[in-house]
Amino acid sequence: MMQDTNPAELDADVIVVGGGPVGTTTALKLARGGMRVIVLEAREANLLEGRATTFHPPTLEMLESIGLTEELVRRGLRASYYQFRDAKLGKIVELDFGVLHEDTRYPYRLQLEQSHLTQLAVEALEAHPLADFRTGSRVESVTQLSGSVEVHDDGGEILRSRYVVAADGMRSVVRTGLGLDFSGHTYPERYLVLATNLPLHEILDDLAAVNYVADPESWHVLLRNPAGWRILFPAPPSAGTDEEVLADDYVRRELRRVLPEADLPDLERVTLYEVHRKVAERFRVGDIFLAGDAAHVNNPLGGMGMNSGIHDGMLLADVLLAGADSGALDRWADSRRAVALEFVGEETEGNWEALREDDEERRAQKREEWRALEADQTAQREFLLRSSMLASLK
């Protein structure tokens, strides 16, 4: 049997694979807690992706511990309200995050592209004496040893650490190498996202910063952030190939569902992607841990994906910094998998089903449920505790 590794022989206490929002915030928390950390990012430059645009209250609370919340709030747009709407009837209900003022220091959704978080976290890592942020470091394999983990990259370098955190996304090399099942389903629609700096709040009547618009055929989501607005549409299989959906005529037609006078020059960016609901069979294998999209993915309706991934990493960092008791690590893995399955997955799937409901009776019932929330502050608070993810941490 191999002997436990001497800490002096290790390159780091923790190697984090993946330099996105989950990997960088986890690494920063560990470094600030006194652990030596190496972050391995496969891309030559850490591209500042902006897919996620929502920070929920508990995420802002967690990010306080690594000194990033104040700047994020300064840069972001506070969404104190959000709406459920009907594509034909308009606003059904407006929900007020103010009912959560006794539950959180941040009774709002902060709208801001995730690239701001990644940028701030990378800058802090590069300035920290215990952190080493490396780009162009593509991991090929990870091997559990006795008392350490060995990480091999495609350049032939071998690094050793006490622990590895895999935050390397849905196509995680680490998870695949461990042979872990990643089961679930892919949604029938792809999501077409149009970014524009048109002032939708001035063009359309009575919009909130966050709007979920229900319709059996043309449901969509309208999200405001400091850079402008995003409009998310479902693109069903009948819409054609990716190339056909991204063609000018199709994009123009979808845009004009919401803004009849708009045209392609009004768009800053057009993206199309598949959406999945999948969860890894385990979040811990020995001293190797999965976090974020490496562990679970879901549809974006509710803005829970990035947030739950950050929760994975920050809570794991707490356990590692407290001494990494094996029982506590198992409890972390089991509880975070349960949240992915029973909370995030169920909430986001429920949002998807509600927006696209095609049965007239059930659709009318759902709208009455939404209207009832406005008149019942207790019910509205309970609803917002779940949609804000505060309930996921109880």
Side-chain angles (χ1 to χ4, degrees):
M1 174 182 287
M2 294 185 63
Q3 297 298 311
D4 285 355
T5 305
N6 185 330
E9 299 173 352
L10 299 175
D11 297 288
D13 297 310
V14 183
I15 292 175
V16 177
V17 183
V22 175
T24 55
T25 54
T26 303
L28 185 56
K29 175 124 186 185
L30 292 167
R32 286 175 63 108
M35 299 185 84
R36 296 175 301 140
V37 182
I38 297 173
V39 181
L40 303 177
E41 167 56 49
R43 293 164 293 189
E44 289 295 336
N46 191 43
L47 302 176
L48 298 179
E49 297 175 336
R51 179 175 292 184
T53 58
T54 289
F55 291 87
H56 285 300
T59 308
L60 295 173
E61 292 175 357
M62 289 183 185
L63 294 175
E64 284 181 344
S65 67
I66 53 175
L68 302 185
T69 301
E70 183 177 354
E71 180 60 17
L72 289 172
V73 171
R74 189 189 70 79
R75 296 185 186 189
L77 185 153
R78 300 186 191 191
S80 298
Y81 304 89
Y82 84 93
Q83 295 180 5
F84 286 112
R85 300 173 68 91
D86 183 282
K88 298 179 180 66
L89 302 176
K91 182 176 72 173
I92 302 297
V93 64
E94 182 168 83
L95 303 177
D96 181 0
F97 281 102
V99 300
L100 301 179
H101 70 278
E102 294 184 353
D103 300 287
T104 177
R105 295 182 294 279
Y106 304 98
Y108 49 82
R109 281 173 59 155
L110 187 74
Q111 296 299 109
L112 184 68
E113 291 191 332
Q114 73 178 45
S115 57
H116 290 269
L117 173 61
T118 308
Q119 175 197 12
L120 291 170
V122 169
E123 289 173 355
L125 285 168
E126 290 176 338
H128 201 288
L130 294 178
D132 181 3
F133 184 85
R134 305 183 185 183
T135 58
S137 296
R138 187 175 300 277
V139 171
E140 285 197 335
S141 65
V142 175
T143 304
Q144 176 74 60
L145 304 176
S146 176
S148 66
V149 185
E150 208 168 66
V151 178
H152 298 245
D153 72 12
D154 62 355
E157 184 175 15
I158 301 174
L159 298 170
R160 296 179 77 184
S161 62
R162 182 67 184 86
Y163 306 101
V164 164
V165 179
D168 53 338
M170 189 182 81
R171 295 175 176 81
S172 170
V173 170
V174 177
R175 186 194 66 241
T176 302
L178 291 171
L180 295 175
D181 182 55
F182 194 50
S183 61
H185 63 262
T186 297
Y187 286 86
E189 310 101 332
R190 293 149 292 172
Y191 284 7
L192 177 68
V193 181
L194 312 181
T196 179
N197 58 15
L198 287 174
L200 269 63
H201 49 293
E202 297 176 6
I203 299 171
L204 302 175
D205 290 336
D206 198 19
L207 280 187
V210 177
N211 309 270
Y212 296 101
V213 186
D215 189 88
E217 295 182 356
S218 59
W219 67 264
H220 54 279
V221 181
L222 306 174
L223 298 173
R224 188 181 178 188
N225 63 69
W229 282 85
R230 287 186 178 189
I231 311 171
L232 182 154
F233 297 102
S238 60
T241 64
D242 288 358
E243 291 74 16
E244 289 169 326
V245 171
L246 291 169
D248 288 354
D249 286 348
Y250 187 93
V251 171
R252 183 184 293 110
R253 184 168 63 251
E254 294 300 285
L255 175 62
R256 287 180 174 174
R257 289 181 188 270
V258 175
L259 299 166
E261 304 302 320
D263 209 338
L264 299 182
D266 296 312
L267 298 178
E268 295 188 318
R269 186 169 66 252
V270 178
T271 54
L272 179 70
Y273 57 92
E274 280 190 325
V275 185
H276 314 269
R277 180 184 177 186
K278 296 184 178 183
V279 179
E281 63 176 295
R282 297 168 63 188
F283 285 15
R284 179 192 180 193
V285 177
D287 298 319
I288 305 167
F289 311 94
L290 306 183
D293 286 358
H296 52 87
V297 292
N298 55 271
N299 81 60
L301 302 178
M304 295 186 176
M306 177 192 70
N307 286 270
S308 60
I310 291 171
H311 300 175
D312 294 341
M314 300 292 275
L315 293 170
L316 173 60
D318 285 337
V319 180
L320 294 176
L321 290 169
D325 171 80
S326 185
L329 289 169
D330 281 340
R331 288 190 292 275
W332 167 85
D334 292 343
S335 66
R336 294 312 300 167
R337 189 170 186 273
V339 167
L341 283 168
E342 300 163 15
F343 188 94
V344 174
E346 291 299 315
E347 285 290 302
T348 55
E349 187 109 337
N351 290 337
W352 175 73
E353 291 173 346
L355 290 182
R356 68 196 298 270
E357 179 60 66
D358 60 2
D359 180 87
E360 186 174 347
E361 184 176 342
R362 289 196 297 267
R363 190 163 64 247
Q365 180 181 356
K366 176 56 69 175
R367 280 148 184 72
E368 286 308 309
E369 291 174 4
W370 288 340
R371 289 189 181 99
L373 291 172
E374 201 158 35
D376 186 338
Q377 293 291 293
T378 300
Q380 187 171 158
R381 175 177 170 271
E382 291 301 316
F383 183 91
L384 288 172
L385 283 171
R386 290 188 64 82
S387 65
S388 70
M389 302 193 73
L390 287 164
S392 74
L393 299 168
K394 299 300 183 184

